[in-house]
Amino acid sequence: MRNPIAWRSIVIGLLALASTAMARDRDPNATLNLPSVPGSQGYTFVAAFPGVTFNVPVAIASPPKETNRLFVVEEPGRISVITNLALPNRTTFLDLTGNTVYGGEQGLLGLALHPEYAKNGRFFIYRTVNASTGGGAVQNHDRLSEFHVSAANPNVADPSEKILFQQADLAGNHNGGDVHFGPDGYLYVSLGDEGGQNDQFKNGQKIDHDFFSAILRLDVDARPGSLAPNPHAAIAASPGAYRVPADNPYVGATTFNGHSVNPAAVRTEFWSVGWRNPWRMSFDPATGELWVGHVGQDTWESVAVTGRGANHGWSYIEATSAGPYGAPAGFLTDPKYGFVPPVYSYRHGSEAYQGNSVIGGVVYRGTRIAALVGAYIFSDYVSANVWTLRRDATGHATVVRIANSPNISAYGTDPRNGDVLAAHLGGNRLLRLDYTGAFTGAPIPPTLADTGAFADVAALQPVAAMEPYDVALPFWSDGALKSRWFFVPGTNRVGVVADGAWKSPIGTVWMKHFEMEMTVGDPASRRRLETRFLVNGSNGLYGVTYRWNSATNAELVPDAGADEVLEIQDGATIRSQTWHYPGRGECLACHTPVAGGSLGFTTAQLNRPDAATGSSQIARIAAAGYLSGVPPALSPLASLVSGPAPDGTPASLESRARNYLAANCSQCHRPGGTAPAFWDARDSTPTDLADIISGKLNDSRGDLANRVVVPGDIAHSVLYQRMSMRGPGQMPPLATSVPDTAGAQLLHDWIVSLADRVSFADWAKAQLGDSSGNPPPSRDSDGDGAVDLLEYLAGTDPKDSSKFWSVVMDHAAGNAVVRLHMNQPAGVAYRIEVTTVPGGAWTPLDVVANAPFYPAVSRDISLEIPATDETRLFRVGLMGR
């Protein structure tokens, strides 16, 4: 729901029964040739422990010297333990969900078990919490803590906590948070640059400030010769919790990067510096080298091997290219700076698309796959590419793509045989990298004709089992024209959900076809570009693209994708436009599990007039036998409003802007989404609760006045700035090279209009003198039966009982029709509900006019409802965005 509905009246009347569409047969035997799990060349991922699931797994660890237990870190704040790996059983080892800040890149992020865990039961975790430092304000903090195993049960932790350090963190992203014991017995901790973008807090090249942009090396055993750390607010509350190894590189340092530093202020805990976000790291058990996946910003992702005093360059440089801040002369070559280049880096958006967010992996030292021994296994979260990396004697890296597996967040190893394990967010489970030798499994069809989706490819006539559908508001695709179909195998049905993604069974396939007018405005100039498939396979979603190479067929696009420059006649000019054909991994950058897979398969998007009949599209799909759990009232559930109402009334500016953001941004910008941002683009979230207006940013772009949207201020509204540009930093980040000028203008006009927008809290302060900032919506200040929220939505005076929103209901045509009369305020939707008995359950009135609609101007409503003999109770409510 949006803002809470404020109900006004209950009137006795008569209600017509909802009509039911006639069902028609579907072909239960139809099949497509797209495999449920696409075959692979050499390697594939399989379920490591079938039936064992977790909640957002982000790290894997096993107790040293043990071979039959695994610990799995779950980001919301829980550590689970798998006992008896041959017959796995999952139990909760430690639950800190009540004292962990979770969301975006925050949460419980790392776990390291002491090398002598079998004797002392000590382990260390890194997480984000709400706390204060030195009596300051309560805010988000990064915390490194020590715990012990319970003395009574080896599979349960003692909840007693010892804090090693705790520091305020002003942004939610770039937290690093991986923790490991090295072969030297010291504890290593990865820390990001505090967040935002462009190193906005200036932590990237400092060793005398806070605990950011570094990998720490700590002595948690107080060995002889180790030193006390320099004083800092982060450790003031826990003196002696750890010590600093005497050979740490910055102990006694008086200069850094050519500038003087006070040795008493240096963070002597630092082992290496210059990190943006070292998300996952691991030690090679054979060589002791520390490998790190270094998540980049706009241009580069890197893999690094770090060491004592290494400087990896951020934010002077990104990989080996220029960063947000200029590097000192000679930074890349002069040994005094200690710069260590990445072992390997790959560029965002390159023609051979590789990815946008590296996931650091592990060096394989297992016993089962000889071909992988000594190779570093890592992947990219966005592209789902999985690679091996090997170095020759000169340090040159050879990287080979071996698999494609979406939603991997971290890697670990099976303590029994060294198998590579992966934490899989898509299925909330652990996967195992398996060797298959030659190509195994079902290949993806090489041409569009081979997929079996078309009865006549040249005529673009799908088989009867491909059901057409359309969406209320499509994603911007550089001006392309799109057609859509879906396929559900056998007699399976899609589960309808009123608010959110529908539940599609395994085997569901969505097909989307793209064409472009080569002369803008001339339908005869349309050219077929590509046809995409999204498959809900038994191992999760995967996508494939077919590029039209003739008028009669299309060929499978390589895994890396492809680009083509189109020459578009646009008025009197010809412009060059790059069209990108996405590779398999790119599809999953937006089609994520948290977004529901298929972005258009929601009630909000599908509940629209059917293109062929003009009646309800959902009713037509339901009548064809594809749906289960269809609500009795379909039309009132529609929420995306992209055009005028049936009477021609235009929609309000805010409703159109919110719908645009829902269609183009909500796949990432939502709770648990892949975007490390605070705001929520979902249409179901009220504007006042979405953190869009004056919402905080991870990236202030160097200007603290910037926000997601600043009312009336285009220059400081980063949402508009990034939607309007193309290139590094653009939004959406993928699949578009041409700005949506109409969409940008819509957002521009909305932001300008927000200068006059009054929230409920501001209204209550002005009208009622309530300065609490949280006025109760159910209060009735003038006792007229209309609560204050209803007075706010209706624009009536909350201090005058004679001024209230009026709803009138009567009968006409000999009581054959129930008539309802009211005024609908601008920018506010109404909703009518009915019940049969006082106190009974209310259900939406099933008429098209009851669909939530937010008019640009107020309008008078006179709604006629055919009556039945059944007496009903009606109520009408208002709701705002």
Side-chain angles (χ1 to χ4, degrees):
M1 292 177 60
R2 294 160 183 76
N3 286 352
I5 298 179
W7 302 104
R8 173 56 190 162
S9 58
I10 300 176
V11 183
I12 296 177
L14 300 172
L15 176 68
L17 295 174
S19 62
T20 303
M22 295 297 292
R24 62 179 175 81
D25 293 334
R26 53 183 280 210
D27 182 359
N29 299 313
T31 59
L32 300 184
N33 297 326
L34 293 161
S36 180
V37 178
S40 61
Q41 183 72 47
Y43 299 93
T44 189
F45 281 92
V46 298
F49 305 101
V52 180
T53 59
F54 307 92
N55 185 18
V56 195
V58 292
I60 304 166
S62 58
K65 305 173 187 177
E66 287 192 27
T67 60
N68 205 28
R69 280 197 299 173
L70 272 176
F71 291 86
V72 178
V73 175
E74 301 174 40
E75 197 171 23
R78 185 173 67 180
I79 299 173
S80 291
V81 58
I82 306 176
T83 56
N84 188 8
L85 301 186
L87 296 172
N89 178 54
R90 184 198 65 78
T91 58
T92 297
F93 180 69
L94 178 64
D95 191 342
L96 296 170
T97 53
N99 189 19
T100 298
V101 175
Y102 166 61
E105 297 178 20
Q106 301 177 115
L108 178 55
L109 302 176
L111 164 69
L113 299 115
H114 194 277
E116 297 298 325
Y117 180 80
K119 297 179 180 179
N120 59 35
R122 301 169 68 194
F123 63 96
F124 299 80
I125 67 167
Y126 184 98
R127 76 189 195 277
T128 49
V129 299
N130 271 324
S132 64
T133 301
V138 174
Q139 57 185 313
N140 286 358
H141 278 62
D142 303 321
R143 177 187 289 179
L144 178 69
S145 299
E146 177 181 347
F147 289 83
H148 287 75
V149 69
S150 166
N153 188 336
N155 295 315
V156 175
D158 183 332
S160 303
E161 180 175 12
K162 175 183 177 181
I163 299 173
L164 277 68
F165 72 76
Q166 176 175 280
Q167 69 172 352
D169 189 333
L170 297 180
N173 59 336
H174 304 179
N175 296 308
D178 211 5
V179 286
H180 294 270
F181 279 93
D184 55 8
Y186 292 124
L187 181 65
Y188 291 75
V189 185
S190 71
L191 305 171
D193 66 2
E194 193 174 7
Q197 208 161 10
N198 296 312
D199 189 21
Q200 67 186 62
F201 301 109
K202 308 285 194 304
N203 292 313
Q205 292 292 325
K206 290 181 180 177
I207 64 168
D208 57 353
H209 186 48
D210 294 327
F211 294 93
F212 293 113
S213 290
I215 290 176
L216 310 183
R217 181 177 181 247
L218 309 177
D219 175 10
V220 297
D221 296 313
R223 301 182 190 181
S226 290
L227 310 171
N230 286 328
H232 189 277
I235 56 176
S238 53
Y242 66 86
R243 294 180 68 81
V244 174
D247 61 343
N248 269 12
Y250 303 107
V251 171
T254 58
T255 62
F256 179 70
N257 286 343
H259 300 286
S260 297
V261 294
N262 177 3
V266 167
R267 304 277 67 83
T268 55
E269 296 90 340
F270 284 8
W271 178 248
S272 62
V273 297
W275 298 102
R276 180 179 181 270
N277 188 20
W279 165 242
R280 300 292 87 167
M281 61 184 183
S282 65
F283 284 97
D284 181 346
T287 67
E289 290 178 306
L290 180 53
W291 290 75
V292 187
H294 193 185
V295 182
Q297 184 167 280
D298 294 327
T299 311
W300 293 97
E301 302 297 311
S302 302
V303 171
V305 173
T306 194
R308 184 180 188 275
N311 189 333
H312 295 275
W314 180 257
S315 53
Y316 288 159
I317 61 172
E318 183 180 3
T320 55
S321 299
Y325 302 108
F331 180 80
L332 297 180
T333 57
D334 191 332
K336 74 178 181 182
Y337 294 110
F339 173 67
V340 174
V343 174
Y344 175 71
S345 57
Y346 56 92
R347 189 180 182 92
H348 296 187
S350 58
E351 183 173 350
Y353 180 74
Q354 293 177 280
N356 288 69
S357 183
V358 68
I359 299 297
V362 294
V363 176
Y364 182 75
R365 299 293 178 184
T367 60
R368 200 168 59 87
I369 308 177
L372 289 183
V373 172
Y376 179 66
I377 315 296
F378 71 107
S379 65
D380 187 280
Y381 183 83
V382 176
S383 71
N385 288 323
V386 181
W387 301 278
T388 61
L389 184 157
R390 295 182 184 274
R391 294 169 297 168
D392 61 20
T394 67
H396 174 73
T398 299
V399 176
V400 177
R401 181 185 177 280
I402 62 169
N404 185 274
S405 187
N407 308 126
I408 289 177
S409 63
Y411 287 90
T413 57
D414 190 319
R416 296 172 293 179
N417 57 9
D419 274 2
V420 174
L421 302 178
H424 181 225
L425 294 188
N428 282 320
R429 56 183 176 168
L430 298 188
L431 301 178
R432 183 185 308 277
L433 183 62
D434 201 10
Y435 181 62
T436 61
F439 186 94
T440 59
I444 295 174
T447 71
L448 185 59
D450 295 323
T451 65
F454 286 91
D456 187 333
V457 178
L460 207 70
Q461 178 186 343
V463 296
M466 297 296 297
E467 188 76 16
Y469 72 99
D470 205 353
V471 296
L473 190 62
F475 182 88
W476 168 250
S477 298
D478 287 359
L481 304 165
K482 293 175 276 191
S483 304
R484 300 169 180 82
W485 298 264
F486 71 89
F487 166 83
V488 178
T491 57
N492 295 303
R493 293 175 180 248
V494 177
V496 173
V497 177
D499 186 9
W502 289 5
K503 306 302 182 184
S504 301
I506 298 297
T508 302
V509 176
W510 297 269
M511 181 172 70
K512 185 159 56 174
H513 176 74
F514 294 75
E515 297 187 357
M516 184 72 73
E517 288 183 350
M518 304 308 291
T519 299
V520 177
D522 180 9
S525 70
R526 287 173 64 158
R527 174 191 154 189
R528 295 175 181 176
L529 295 177
E530 63 174 85
T531 303
R532 299 179 191 172
F533 293 89
L534 184 69
V535 181
N536 187 20
S538 58
N539 262 7
L541 293 165
Y542 75 89
V544 291
T545 302
Y546 290 89
R547 176 179 180 175
W548 285 83
N549 60 340
S550 69
T552 59
N553 207 352
E555 292 184 347
L556 180 65
V557 170
D559 281 354
D563 289 323
E564 179 184 2
V565 177
L566 306 177
E567 301 296 331
I568 308 292
Q569 182 78 45
D570 191 352
T573 63
I574 296 178
R575 57 179 169 83
S576 297
Q577 174 178 329
T578 299
W579 181 266
H580 181 67
Y581 299 90
R584 281 173 54 189
E586 290 176 89
C587 299
L588 302 179
C590 293
H591 294 281
T592 61
V594 71
S598 175
L599 306 179
F601 240 52
T602 66
T603 299
Q605 284 281 29
L606 294 175
N607 202 6
R608 63 186 305 280
D610 188 59
T613 65
S615 59
S616 167
Q617 177 175 243
I618 294 181
R620 187 256 298 169
I621 296 173
Y626 286 102
L627 305 181
S628 65
V630 181
L634 294 174
S635 53
L637 296 175
S639 59
L640 286 181
V641 181
S642 56
D647 64 1
T649 302
S652 71
L653 191 58
E654 181 160 313
S655 71
R656 289 186 288 123
R658 287 302 312 279
N659 291 332
Y660 182 87
L661 296 177
N664 288 275
C665 309
S666 65
Q667 60 268 31
C668 295
H669 291 276
R670 61 168 61 212
T674 56
F678 300 99
W679 64 284
D680 186 353
R682 294 175 302 169
D683 182 72
S684 57
T685 302
T687 300
D688 289 334
L689 301 179
D691 292 322
I692 297 175
I693 299 176
S694 301
K696 295 186 298 182
L697 295 165
N698 281 320
D699 173 18
S700 70
R701 314 189 106 191
D703 188 341
L704 295 180
N706 285 343
R707 291 291 186 269
V708 178
V709 161
V710 179
D713 187 347
I714 293 296
H716 290 100
S717 296
V718 173
L719 171 63
Y720 171 77
Q721 302 297 338
R722 297 185 71 179
M723 291 287 291
S724 303
M725 62 183 290
R726 284 300 174 267
Q730 73 175 44
M731 285 293 164
L734 297 174
T736 174
S737 62
V738 177
D740 180 3
T741 55
Q745 187 64 50
L746 171 64
L747 295 180
H748 175 283
D749 295 346
W750 176 52
I751 293 168
V752 170
S753 76
L754 290 175
D756 299 323
R757 189 179 192 274
V758 178
S759 69
F760 179 53
D762 290 340
W763 175 87
K765 182 178 181 180
Q767 293 284 335
L768 302 169
D770 186 338
S771 58
S772 67
N774 188 28
S778 59
R779 179 177 55 196
D780 183 0
S781 296
D782 56 8
D784 61 0
V787 297
D788 288 353
L789 178 61
L790 184 60
E791 304 260 24
Y792 161 71
L793 294 171
T796 53
D797 189 342
K799 304 181 296 298
D800 186 343
S801 62
S802 67
K803 304 291 178 61
F804 54 84
W805 184 56
S806 175
V807 179
V808 176
M809 184 171 281
D810 57 31
H811 295 153
N815 288 337
V817 173
V818 176
R819 293 189 307 191
L820 180 146
H821 311 276
M822 63 183 172
N823 175 266
Q824 182 181 8
V828 175
Y830 68 83
R831 182 169 177 176
I832 308 168
E833 293 189 347
V834 296
T835 187
T836 56
V837 294
W842 294 95
T843 59
L845 177 62
D846 187 18
V847 296
V848 172
N850 198 30
F853 180 75
Y854 301 81
V857 296
S858 64
R859 59 180 186 170
D860 290 326
I861 300 295
S862 182
L863 179 63
E864 293 190 350
I865 309 165
T868 68
D869 294 334
E870 188 173 20
T871 299
R872 301 290 176 98
L873 305 178
F874 288 70
R875 69 177 183 178
V876 186
L878 293 181
M879 56 183 171
R881 283 282 171 175

